[in-house]
Amino acid sequence: MKKIILLFVLSFALSCNTSAQKKEKKTEFPITKTDSEWKAQLSNEAYYVLRKEGTERPFTSPLNKNYKKGVYHCTACDTPLFKSEHKFDSGTGWPSFDREIKGNIAYGTDNKLGYTRNEEHCANCGGHLGHIFNDGPRATTGKRHCINGVALKFVPAEK
């Protein structure tokens, strides 16, 4: 009986120090604004995705089927994020790229669905962009940057 009580007490003591209680280290970004400032600047859908880490419905972004030459910028701060030559049709309903513009994407983890996903943010303003997966084109990087179209602004190449 003493062993059972000891085991119970030990289990209880260890459970009080879970990772859920540890505070995550907050990443600082060069561009910071108040919640009110972001709300005033962004559309409701862009605010939901970029600032609240939401996801737009698949197949709703006009950028999903955009095949023009140019660069995709962050909607919130205009940082160049992806080049059109690295875009491909993943069939998922979201704009997809096999690589980013180096240095302009910040990475983190997302456990909201019960499993770990690699999350992408704009390295300049911290806006949530989407997620990166290892099921992209094998002929290039093997990566699929699955990005919410509302988080992107397309800047066409000059002719």
Side-chain angles (χ1 to χ4, degrees):
M1 183 69 172
K2 287 183 182 181
K3 287 183 181 179
I4 293 174
I5 293 174
L6 180 61
L7 183 61
F8 176 75
V9 170
L10 189 59
S11 296
F12 179 75
L14 291 175
S15 70
C16 290
N17 191 20
T18 66
S19 60
Q21 292 175 334
K22 294 176 185 173
K23 294 193 177 192
E24 290 184 25
K25 183 179 176 184
K26 185 177 178 188
T27 305
E28 296 294 326
F29 296 98
I31 294 177
T32 57
K33 296 183 180 186
T34 66
D35 204 44
S36 299
E37 290 171 321
W38 285 122
K39 280 183 180 179
Q41 175 187 334
L42 301 168
S43 70
N44 289 340
E45 188 175 21
Y47 174 80
Y48 169 70
V49 169
L50 288 160
R51 307 317 311 171
K52 296 300 179 186
E53 299 180 346
T55 301
E56 69 186 359
R57 290 187 349 252
F59 302 102
T60 58
S61 172
L63 294 179
N64 188 41
K65 295 291 184 182
N66 178 38
Y67 299 109
K68 298 174 185 167
K69 290 187 179 194
V71 178
Y72 294 83
H73 291 229
C74 175
T75 296
C77 70
D78 205 32
T79 297
L81 302 171
F82 302 97
K83 295 179 181 178
S84 61
E85 59 261 30
H86 301 137
K87 187 173 186 286
F88 68 97
D89 186 357
S90 65
T92 62
W94 290 281
S96 297
F97 304 86
D98 69 352
R99 70 196 78 170
E100 77 283 7
I101 295 176
K102 296 287 183 201
N104 293 352
I105 303 286
Y107 298 94
T109 55
D110 170 8
N111 294 302
K112 291 181 207 115
L113 296 180
Y115 61 94
T116 301
R117 296 184 295 171
N118 294 316
E119 190 171 30
E120 296 185 271
H121 294 269
C122 172
N124 204 24
C125 71
H128 170 75
L129 303 171
H131 297 86
I132 184 169
F133 302 97
N134 291 319
D135 61 0
R138 296 286 171 220
T140 59
T141 64
K143 302 291 182 193
R144 174 173 56 98
H145 297 260
C146 186
I147 308 300
N148 290 283
V150 73
L152 300 173
K153 176 176 79 172
F154 181 70
V155 178
E158 293 181 18
K159 294 184 180 190

